[in-house]
Amino acid sequence: MASTLLSLASATPSASLCFHEINKGKLNLGCINKEKTNPFIKAKSFGRVSMVVASNVSHFEGITMAPPDPILGVSEAFKADDHELKLNLGVGAYRTEELQPYVLDVVKKVNKLLLEKGENLEYLPIEGLAAFNKVTAELLFGADNPVIKQQRVATVQGLSGTGSLRLAAALIERYFPGEKVLISSPTWGNHKNIFNDARVPWSEYRYYDPKTVGLDFEGMIADIKAAPEGSFILLHGCAHNPTGIDPTPEQWGVIADVIQEKNHIPFFDIAYQGFASGSLDTDAASVRMFVARGMEVIAAQSYSKNLGLYAERIGAINVVCSSPEAAARVKSQLKRIARPMYSNPPVHGARIVANIVGDSALFKEWNAEMEMMAGRIKNVRHKLFDSLSSKDKSGKDWSFVLKQIGMFSFTGLNKAQCDNMTNKWHVYMTKDGRISLAGLSLAKCEYLADAIIDSYHNVS
Amino acid sequence: MEDEPHRCFSFLPTFLPLHILIYTPNPVLPEHNRTKSAAVFFHILTMIISRFLRRGISTSTSPTRRRSWWDHVTPALKDLINAVTDAFLADPCPYKINLGVGAYRDDEGKPVVLQWVREAEGKIGATNFLESTSTAISSKLVEESAKLIYREDLDVIKERRFAGIPALSGTGACRIFAEFQKRFYPDSTIYFPDPTWSNHRNIWGDAHVPGRTFHYYHPDSKGLNFVALMDDVKNAPDGSFFLLHPCAHNPTGVDPTDEQWREISSLFKVKNHFPFFDVAYQGFASGDVERDAQAIRIFLEDGHSIGCAQSFAKNLGLYGHRVGCLSILCNDKIQAVAIKSQLKQISNAMYSSPTIHGISLVSKILSNPDIKALWLKEVKVMATSIQRMRATLREALERLRSPLNWQHITNQAGMFCFSGLTRAEVDQLAKEFHIYMTHDGRISMASVTTKNVDYVARAIHEVTASNRDTKILHNIGAYKVNTDICSTFLGTNKTRARGMNLAL
């Protein structure tokens, strides 16, 4: 193949935005001149060179490998490891005590039902399945909530949490151009990518305190106060990812006060409703409190964890507005954003959720299964705490394992210690020190405790 | 209620989002521009008025804060195609017919679930989807999709020199590509055929890639404007990105011949243009998936490294499952891996991945040779029935002694017929005959059945015949619907956006 020059748009990679920076996942498109520098192209700048004949030469010569996703990359590394004691505590996907994936019984029932019904596969409307949109809003806000009765919620079915967040991000970019979203430090890794790709600038508010392995509440409040008025504050409704540290109800009250005072918009990401405490209502308490104060709220939902529908990509974006007429307008714009993204959302997951939530017997069953899943994680936390406390003679306080909630636990281990966990003990976790308790069985708690104690004390 | 005297000026910054309402002028169908101008003007007016009449919950003591966060959000313009369905649904007339959406119907006018899809659904059941099997199933889908469109025996396929990811049907595949194009060619534009599917412009527009057009449809011949097409391809700057419909062009149904494709491909080589194919109807044009991929095969023979968005919505009848595939041909495996990683990264920040359900269905059907063969037969049945309806519709119009030439109905291919009906005629069809289609006169032939074809022919004849003597007067009973349904979504031509410099 003859090498030929390509016709490239002039693109000079900036020295300050080199590949290394991207690897750290700290790329913030909000601070660079997007058009002039392109961190994705490693090629030298040829300027605009036209070529004569393009035989077998790709237009995409200079494209570099994207950095591996830090979370999914863990699973890949785990797969490649043949050690018999290996443990995958990477992805937040629920596993049974036997460490097998779990399809909820209610889901199996409904799948069978849908197969028997033999429904058609026609396009959904852009906003998704109406029956689903109705039940998902009721699930989050409560069926008797005035905002639902007054039709003040714009609900659009989304592709799980990610897709719903992206719709909201695009709405923010369009109607609040330049306004920032504040995200917790740390937060789910994909939040930054979503806002970057949607061209929404973001900055961080303090959240995790490594000294206490708990919430840096003063820092959080100070940072939210310091943000320019009218910022969007991204909050995890329950079971904070990755730390597992949630504010107390009193702290939520103070957060709401500050947000109201500064005229910010609360933007909830609720990926674990029902999964954190085992109760759907308890886990929605934070969102409901904000809504009860009359605030306009954005809330993204996901059914990946609580219904185990990871692969069906079912979720929703809700915008609580001050009037039904505003809700109608907002909904129309969300549709306007969704249509050139994927036209209309997938039907299967929506039908499953609508059937389960819409049938009281199935809904009860679901609640029971959710309690079981959340219960198993709570048991594992206890076992891990017990193992750590009994094995570690240094007097370190491991109670944060019990205080944290949800699928994840922030162990407080640093990167080197995490590497030790993987290299020496074959325990796979994300490098920020997060472990997924959903991937831990009671049987393996002792082994994990040994690994954590060794990494914490013997590696710095 | 606070006193906010400066509020009357605060609408000015909200003009910023107007770029979403502004489209490049459409030179071929200027009536679109006027309608869009009118609609935009109307919405701006609504926005201004709503600011003065706004009431809302006050959550702030700051005088500069608007009451509701969303006051400045205007109602979005309705999606053109869905608006047709909305109007159709709102019509109580029992004789109504929806010729708007491109979705296949049986002769009863009912949606069809392909037999093999049902069987595959039964097999899938509630399978445990491990992350590893998800990856394996996704790879299988990409592999099978590539074989379907590119041909199994090509080196580029055998050597896996392509990057592919499953996508949310055709729309999702186009959008991922548009974002990819923006990322690596930030200053580039995309050339669409004029006309093209209405969503294309928004897809690339939302990815911040400006769209241009090249001549395609000749309104006089109702066929391809080949000379102008080649001119536009030649005059475009070297290395431009082009969106091509390889078969069953949407909305016109007009496809280049093989010879014409060869000439287009040669010119593309000279100009080093990047061809991106939107493959939404493979199998629907001729009934033969191989035949319908001919344009792509021609480009591959010439050595182009192309990109392809495939949709399984129509040919597998999987509309609601949203299954498709985006693929880009590469020089070598290393590049393929790099490009795939970039595509994955883009999709991860948009929706992570399409549903496993849809992907499993497609991969099951395509990877089993027996099931695949039976599926191909079903596709042929669907395509043949559409071709038969084309002939029937044309014959019916000719039997009515319509003075117009309706040859294009059978000349055009695929799901759609670009009827040549004017906007006024389309409106009349909706108002008086309760037949709905997009206002560019595009008819979804898949919704024309043996039961309604005569009625459709008579209605078309009625609105188009200029000679009163040849008109056949109908009595369709008492079901005359209030006309406002159609005029609301179609907009009016009465107002013009004077002095606003809105390029539509």
Side-chain angles (χ1 to χ4, degrees), chain B residues 443-476:
Chain B
I443 295 176
S444 170
M445 291 306 302
S447 297
V448 178
T449 66
T450 55
K451 299 193 167 51
N452 65 26
V453 62
D454 283 333
Y455 177 65
V456 171
R458 277 181 295 168
I460 292 176
H461 179 61
E462 176 79 19
V463 305
T464 56
S466 51
N467 183 350
R468 278 212 157 263
D469 292 337
T470 61
K471 265 195 193 178
I472 297 170
L473 295 168
H474 301 280
N475 180 3
I476 53 168

Short mmCIF file of all heavy atoms in Angstrom, two decimals, chain B residues 443-476:
data_model
loop_
_atom_site.label_atom_id
_atom_site.label_comp_id
_atom_site.label_asym_id
_atom_site.label_seq_id
_atom_site.Cartn_x
_atom_site.Cartn_y
_atom_site.Cartn_z
N ILE B 443 -45.11 8.93 0.18
CA ILE B 443 -46.09 7.92 0.56
C ILE B 443 -45.35 6.67 1.00
O ILE B 443 -44.45 6.20 0.29
CB ILE B 443 -46.99 7.55 -0.65
CG1 ILE B 443 -47.81 8.75 -1.07
CG2 ILE B 443 -47.90 6.38 -0.31
CD1 ILE B 443 -48.63 8.49 -2.31
N SER B 444 -45.73 6.11 2.15
CA SER B 444 -45.15 4.84 2.54
C SER B 444 -45.95 3.74 1.85
O SER B 444 -47.09 3.43 2.23
CB SER B 444 -45.22 4.66 4.05
OG SER B 444 -44.87 3.33 4.39
N MET B 445 -45.36 3.14 0.82
CA MET B 445 -46.06 2.12 0.04
C MET B 445 -46.34 0.89 0.89
O MET B 445 -47.24 0.11 0.58
CB MET B 445 -45.24 1.72 -1.18
CG MET B 445 -45.11 2.79 -2.24
SD MET B 445 -46.71 3.42 -2.80
CE MET B 445 -47.50 1.93 -3.37
N ALA B 446 -45.56 0.75 1.97
CA ALA B 446 -45.76 -0.41 2.84
C ALA B 446 -47.11 -0.36 3.53
O ALA B 446 -47.59 -1.37 4.04
CB ALA B 446 -44.64 -0.46 3.87
N SER B 447 -47.72 0.83 3.56
CA SER B 447 -49.03 0.94 4.21
C SER B 447 -50.18 0.94 3.20
O SER B 447 -51.34 1.05 3.60
CB SER B 447 -49.09 2.23 5.03
OG SER B 447 -48.13 2.19 6.06
N VAL B 448 -49.85 0.79 1.93
CA VAL B 448 -50.91 0.70 0.92
C VAL B 448 -51.25 -0.78 0.77
O VAL B 448 -50.37 -1.60 0.52
CB VAL B 448 -50.44 1.29 -0.43
CG1 VAL B 448 -51.54 1.12 -1.48
CG2 VAL B 448 -50.07 2.75 -0.27
N THR B 449 -52.52 -1.12 0.94
CA THR B 449 -52.92 -2.54 0.89
C THR B 449 -53.93 -2.74 -0.22
O THR B 449 -54.47 -1.78 -0.78
CB THR B 449 -53.57 -2.95 2.22
OG1 THR B 449 -54.81 -2.23 2.34
CG2 THR B 449 -52.67 -2.64 3.40
N THR B 450 -54.23 -4.02 -0.51
CA THR B 450 -55.24 -4.30 -1.54
C THR B 450 -56.58 -3.70 -1.12
O THR B 450 -57.40 -3.35 -1.96
CB THR B 450 -55.41 -5.81 -1.76
OG1 THR B 450 -55.70 -6.43 -0.51
CG2 THR B 450 -54.15 -6.42 -2.34
N LYS B 451 -56.78 -3.56 0.18
CA LYS B 451 -58.07 -3.06 0.66
C LYS B 451 -58.22 -1.56 0.50
O LYS B 451 -59.31 -1.04 0.32
CB LYS B 451 -58.28 -3.45 2.12
CG LYS B 451 -58.29 -4.95 2.28
CD LYS B 451 -58.80 -5.38 3.64
CE LYS B 451 -59.11 -6.87 3.67
NZ LYS B 451 -58.02 -7.72 3.18
N ASN B 452 -57.10 -0.83 0.59
CA ASN B 452 -57.24 0.64 0.54
C ASN B 452 -56.69 1.27 -0.73
O ASN B 452 -56.84 2.47 -0.94
CB ASN B 452 -56.60 1.29 1.78
CG ASN B 452 -55.09 1.09 1.86
OD1 ASN B 452 -54.41 0.91 0.85
ND2 ASN B 452 -54.56 1.15 3.07
N VAL B 453 -56.11 0.47 -1.63
CA VAL B 453 -55.42 1.05 -2.78
C VAL B 453 -56.38 1.81 -3.70
O VAL B 453 -56.03 2.87 -4.23
CB VAL B 453 -54.60 -0.01 -3.55
CG1 VAL B 453 -55.50 -1.09 -4.13
CG2 VAL B 453 -53.77 0.63 -4.63
N ASP B 454 -57.59 1.28 -3.85
CA ASP B 454 -58.53 1.98 -4.73
C ASP B 454 -58.91 3.33 -4.15
O ASP B 454 -59.01 4.33 -4.86
CB ASP B 454 -59.79 1.12 -4.93
CG ASP B 454 -59.52 -0.01 -5.91
OD1 ASP B 454 -58.64 0.16 -6.79
OD2 ASP B 454 -60.18 -1.06 -5.81
N TYR B 455 -59.17 3.33 -2.88
CA TYR B 455 -59.54 4.57 -2.22
C TYR B 455 -58.41 5.59 -2.32
O TYR B 455 -58.63 6.77 -2.63
CB TYR B 455 -59.90 4.29 -0.75
CG TYR B 455 -60.23 5.52 0.04
CD1 TYR B 455 -61.35 6.30 -0.25
CD2 TYR B 455 -59.42 5.93 1.11
CE1 TYR B 455 -61.65 7.43 0.48
CE2 TYR B 455 -59.72 7.06 1.85
CZ TYR B 455 -60.83 7.81 1.52
OH TYR B 455 -61.12 8.94 2.24
N VAL B 456 -57.19 5.13 -2.08
CA VAL B 456 -56.02 6.02 -2.16
C VAL B 456 -55.89 6.58 -3.57
O VAL B 456 -55.67 7.78 -3.77
CB VAL B 456 -54.73 5.27 -1.74
CG1 VAL B 456 -53.50 6.12 -2.03
CG2 VAL B 456 -54.77 4.91 -0.27
N ALA B 457 -56.08 5.71 -4.56
CA ALA B 457 -55.95 6.16 -5.95
C ALA B 457 -57.00 7.22 -6.28
O ALA B 457 -56.71 8.26 -6.88
CB ALA B 457 -56.07 4.98 -6.90
N ARG B 458 -58.22 6.92 -5.84
CA ARG B 458 -59.29 7.88 -6.13
C ARG B 458 -59.03 9.22 -5.45
O ARG B 458 -59.25 10.29 -6.01
CB ARG B 458 -60.63 7.32 -5.70
CG ARG B 458 -61.23 6.39 -6.74
CD ARG B 458 -62.57 5.85 -6.31
NE ARG B 458 -62.44 5.00 -5.15
CZ ARG B 458 -63.46 4.56 -4.43
NH1 ARG B 458 -64.68 4.91 -4.75
NH2 ARG B 458 -63.27 3.79 -3.39
N ALA B 459 -58.55 9.15 -4.24
CA ALA B 459 -58.28 10.39 -3.50
C ALA B 459 -57.18 11.19 -4.18
O ALA B 459 -57.29 12.42 -4.34
CB ALA B 459 -57.90 10.06 -2.05
N ILE B 460 -56.12 10.51 -4.57
CA ILE B 460 -55.01 11.20 -5.24
C ILE B 460 -55.51 11.81 -6.54
O ILE B 460 -55.19 12.95 -6.89
CB ILE B 460 -53.83 10.25 -5.50
CG1 ILE B 460 -53.18 9.84 -4.18
CG2 ILE B 460 -52.80 10.88 -6.43
CD1 ILE B 460 -52.06 8.83 -4.32
N HIS B 461 -56.28 11.04 -7.24
CA HIS B 461 -56.82 11.54 -8.50
C HIS B 461 -57.67 12.77 -8.27
O HIS B 461 -57.58 13.76 -9.00
CB HIS B 461 -57.63 10.43 -9.17
CG HIS B 461 -58.25 10.85 -10.47
ND1 HIS B 461 -57.51 11.28 -11.56
CD2 HIS B 461 -59.55 10.96 -10.84
CE1 HIS B 461 -58.33 11.61 -12.55
NE2 HIS B 461 -59.58 11.43 -12.15
N GLU B 462 -58.51 12.70 -7.25
CA GLU B 462 -59.41 13.80 -6.93
C GLU B 462 -58.64 15.09 -6.68
O GLU B 462 -59.01 16.15 -7.18
CB GLU B 462 -60.23 13.41 -5.69
CG GLU B 462 -61.16 14.47 -5.18
CD GLU B 462 -62.45 14.58 -5.97
OE1 GLU B 462 -62.80 13.62 -6.68
OE2 GLU B 462 -63.12 15.63 -5.86
N VAL B 463 -57.57 15.00 -5.92
CA VAL B 463 -56.86 16.23 -5.58
C VAL B 463 -55.95 16.72 -6.70
O VAL B 463 -55.58 17.88 -6.74
CB VAL B 463 -56.06 16.12 -4.25
CG1 VAL B 463 -56.96 15.67 -3.11
CG2 VAL B 463 -54.86 15.22 -4.37
N THR B 464 -55.58 15.83 -7.60
CA THR B 464 -54.62 16.25 -8.62
C THR B 464 -55.24 16.57 -9.98
O THR B 464 -54.66 17.27 -10.79
CB THR B 464 -53.53 15.18 -8.86
OG1 THR B 464 -54.19 13.95 -9.22
CG2 THR B 464 -52.67 14.96 -7.64
N ALA B 465 -56.40 16.02 -10.23
CA ALA B 465 -56.97 16.22 -11.57
C ALA B 465 -57.33 17.68 -11.77
O ALA B 465 -58.00 18.29 -10.96
CB ALA B 465 -58.19 15.34 -11.74
N SER B 466 -56.85 18.28 -12.84
CA SER B 466 -57.14 19.69 -13.06
C SER B 466 -58.40 19.87 -13.87
O SER B 466 -59.07 20.88 -13.83
CB SER B 466 -55.96 20.36 -13.76
OG SER B 466 -55.62 19.59 -14.91
N ASN B 467 -58.75 18.83 -14.62
CA ASN B 467 -59.92 18.89 -15.46
C ASN B 467 -61.12 18.41 -14.66
O ASN B 467 -61.21 17.27 -14.28
CB ASN B 467 -59.71 17.98 -16.68
CG ASN B 467 -60.88 18.05 -17.62
OD1 ASN B 467 -61.92 18.62 -17.30
ND2 ASN B 467 -60.70 17.46 -18.79
N ARG B 468 -62.08 19.31 -14.43
CA ARG B 468 -63.21 18.98 -13.56
C ARG B 468 -64.00 17.80 -14.08
O ARG B 468 -64.57 17.04 -13.33
CB ARG B 468 -64.12 20.19 -13.45
CG ARG B 468 -63.61 21.15 -12.42
CD ARG B 468 -64.72 21.88 -11.71
NE ARG B 468 -64.26 22.34 -10.43
CZ ARG B 468 -64.49 21.69 -9.28
NH1 ARG B 468 -65.16 20.59 -9.28
NH2 ARG B 468 -64.01 22.13 -8.14
N ASP B 469 -64.08 17.65 -15.44
CA ASP B 469 -64.89 16.58 -15.98
C ASP B 469 -64.37 15.20 -15.63
O ASP B 469 -65.11 14.24 -15.57
CB ASP B 469 -64.95 16.68 -17.51
CG ASP B 469 -65.72 17.91 -17.93
OD1 ASP B 469 -66.53 18.40 -17.12
OD2 ASP B 469 -65.49 18.39 -19.04
N THR B 470 -63.08 15.09 -15.44
CA THR B 470 -62.54 13.76 -15.16
C THR B 470 -62.56 13.43 -13.68
O THR B 470 -62.23 12.34 -13.26
CB THR B 470 -61.08 13.64 -15.65
OG1 THR B 470 -60.28 14.60 -14.97
CG2 THR B 470 -61.00 13.90 -17.14
N LYS B 471 -62.95 14.41 -12.88
CA LYS B 471 -62.97 14.13 -11.43
C LYS B 471 -64.13 13.20 -11.11
O LYS B 471 -65.22 13.32 -11.63
CB LYS B 471 -63.18 15.44 -10.66
CG LYS B 471 -61.90 16.09 -10.19
CD LYS B 471 -62.23 17.14 -9.16
CE LYS B 471 -61.01 18.01 -8.92
NZ LYS B 471 -61.28 19.07 -7.98
N ILE B 472 -63.91 12.29 -10.25
CA ILE B 472 -64.99 11.43 -9.77
C ILE B 472 -65.39 11.94 -8.42
O ILE B 472 -64.57 12.03 -7.50
CB ILE B 472 -64.52 9.98 -9.67
CG1 ILE B 472 -64.13 9.46 -11.05
CG2 ILE B 472 -65.60 9.09 -9.05
CD1 ILE B 472 -63.43 8.15 -11.04
N LEU B 473 -66.63 12.31 -8.30
CA LEU B 473 -67.05 12.88 -7.03
C LEU B 473 -67.36 11.77 -6.04
O LEU B 473 -67.95 10.76 -6.36
CB LEU B 473 -68.30 13.75 -7.26
CG LEU B 473 -68.03 14.97 -8.14
CD1 LEU B 473 -69.33 15.63 -8.56
CD2 LEU B 473 -67.15 15.98 -7.40
N HIS B 474 -66.91 11.98 -4.87
CA HIS B 474 -67.07 10.95 -3.83
C HIS B 474 -68.08 11.36 -2.80
O HIS B 474 -68.29 12.53 -2.56
CB HIS B 474 -65.76 10.71 -3.09
CG HIS B 474 -64.66 10.28 -3.99
ND1 HIS B 474 -64.52 9.01 -4.42
CD2 HIS B 474 -63.66 10.98 -4.56
CE1 HIS B 474 -63.47 8.92 -5.21
NE2 HIS B 474 -62.93 10.11 -5.31
N ASN B 475 -68.64 10.39 -2.24
CA ASN B 475 -69.40 10.66 -1.04
C ASN B 475 -68.83 9.77 0.06
O ASN B 475 -69.04 8.56 0.08
CB ASN B 475 -70.87 10.33 -1.27
CG ASN B 475 -71.69 10.60 -0.03
OD1 ASN B 475 -71.18 11.09 0.97
ND2 ASN B 475 -72.97 10.29 -0.10
N ILE B 476 -68.07 10.39 0.89
CA ILE B 476 -67.44 9.55 1.91
C ILE B 476 -68.15 9.65 3.23
O ILE B 476 -67.59 9.42 4.29
CB ILE B 476 -65.95 9.90 2.09
CG1 ILE B 476 -65.81 11.40 2.36
CG2 ILE B 476 -65.15 9.50 0.87
CD1 ILE B 476 -64.41 11.74 2.82
#
